[in-house]
Amino acid sequence: MTPTIKLLALIEGATVTGPAKNLLAFCRRARSAEMEAEGLPRVETSIITFERGAAGAGAEVTPFVAAAREAGVEVDVVRERFRYDPRAVAQLRDIFERRAPDVVQTHMIKSHFLVRLSGLGRRRPWVAYHHGYTTTDLKMLAYNQLNRWSLPAAARVVTVCGPFAEQLARAGVARGRISVRHNSVTPPAPPAAEEVGALRARLGLAEGTRVVLAVGRLSREKGHADLVEAVAHLRQSEPALDFRLVVVGEGPERGRVEAEGRARRVSDRIIFAGHTRDVRPFYALADALALPSHSEGSPNVLLEAMAAGVPVAATRVGGVPEIAADGEEALLVAPRDMHALGAALARLLTDAPYARALAERAAARVAREFSPEAHARALVRLYRDLLGGADAAAPADAFEPSARTGV
């Protein structure tokens, strides 16, 4: 029987973000009997996450911890007083001794830093996931610099797109230790028609009103304020078109986005739906997805919309053009060119056969290239190779500049 690999994964965050969602999907598939059937080891994963405040009966279970335990994944919580609490190191070492993992895996800046600082990355093969950077404020920019110290020490750095791999190589990570793995997605089960109808009524959408959907945290790099400009261009170019922009998500940029709507006199065309755990009814309601980001890696929302059959208009940033080819699976425009994004949305909303053809090709590509099964198999092979002594050699999918990644 193929031996089981024990994986210890560190991830930050209280909610089920894109990286957290992908990690839990991997946990389910990597421990299945299908791995053994393909001659691969099963991977049993336990997770370490972080919470601030004292432990006790009154401590709340975060949505992420609840989701992990619901998926049958054991979770250890490191208690901290502030973001980089030095007491976390001793807790990590204690958990490491108790779990005795074969491989350590980290997600996000703090986890990378603490694993190198604690020395745990020298005791077992260490795989660091690089999901890209946010540039929200100077503090985050400073935190991002920690990766320049942490990531070169990892046995492997897995990133989500070619441009990010190039950034890592320039920052000192050996190219032979970088692997590019886009995120994966499971096609969502269609929600009941009654559920979609109830959502339309809750949002105050009349029958026949076209819906442009935007999904994601309202932070500056996601470009929601720019999207308001695209909505203004769309209204100007198609004055007879009855449409609404439905924004799913919350974040620090909401006030600025609302102010931009008032300034451009399109507030009546924008609906803020807030945060939701189940986006499926929104995809079922949508006629188009807008992704106006200034930077992206391998955006889950893009993959989800493609899998759900929603035609997409997006900015040509990060890994977006590696996932969806312009004019084949989506309409792509230059970042911050909201006149072009408005024109792309107009075409998707007014040319139904064209939009449908884009969506069909996009759904087929997701099923072919971005399935969770293929993603899990690739990662299990990476862990197996590391434990087999392949650390010194470049992995089969090591990063090399290529025309396909655009770097």
Side-chain angles (χ1 to χ4, degrees), residues 41-61:
R42 295 192 193 196
V43 177
E44 288 290 345
T45 306
S46 60
I47 291 174
I48 296 177
T49 190
F50 303 83
E51 290 182 21
R52 292 182 199 158
E60 293 185 6
V61 175

Side-chain angles (χ1 to χ4, degrees), residues 34-117:
E34 296 174 5
M35 290 296 162
E36 289 184 330
E38 297 185 28
L40 293 171
R42 295 192 193 196
V43 177
E44 288 290 345
T45 306
S46 60
I47 291 174
I48 296 177
T49 190
F50 303 83
E51 290 182 21
R52 292 182 199 158
E60 293 185 6
V61 175
T62 67
F64 170 65
V65 171
R69 289 173 176 164
E70 184 179 339
V73 180
E74 294 185 344
V75 181
D76 291 294
V77 177
V78 169
R79 299 288 174 181
E80 54 184 4
R81 299 164 297 174
F82 45 85
R83 187 176 178 88
Y84 283 86
D85 188 345
R87 294 184 184 182
V89 172
Q91 296 179 65
L92 288 176
R93 287 173 175 159
D94 287 344
I95 295 168
F96 182 92
E97 294 299 331
R98 177 162 46 85
R99 294 292 183 186
D102 300 306
V103 177
V104 176
Q105 175 177 298
T106 55
H107 297 259
M108 304 175 198
I109 298 164
K110 181 169 70 179
S111 298
H112 306 325
F113 175 75
L114 290 174
V115 163
R116 180 162 192 191
L117 182 68

Side-chain angles (χ1 to χ4, degrees), residues 212-215 283 286-291 301-302 305 310-314 345 348:
V212 176
L213 181 65
V215 179
Y283 288 129
D287 297 289
L289 178 93
L291 188 65
V301 62
L302 173 62
V310 180
V312 174
L345 290 170
L348 295 180

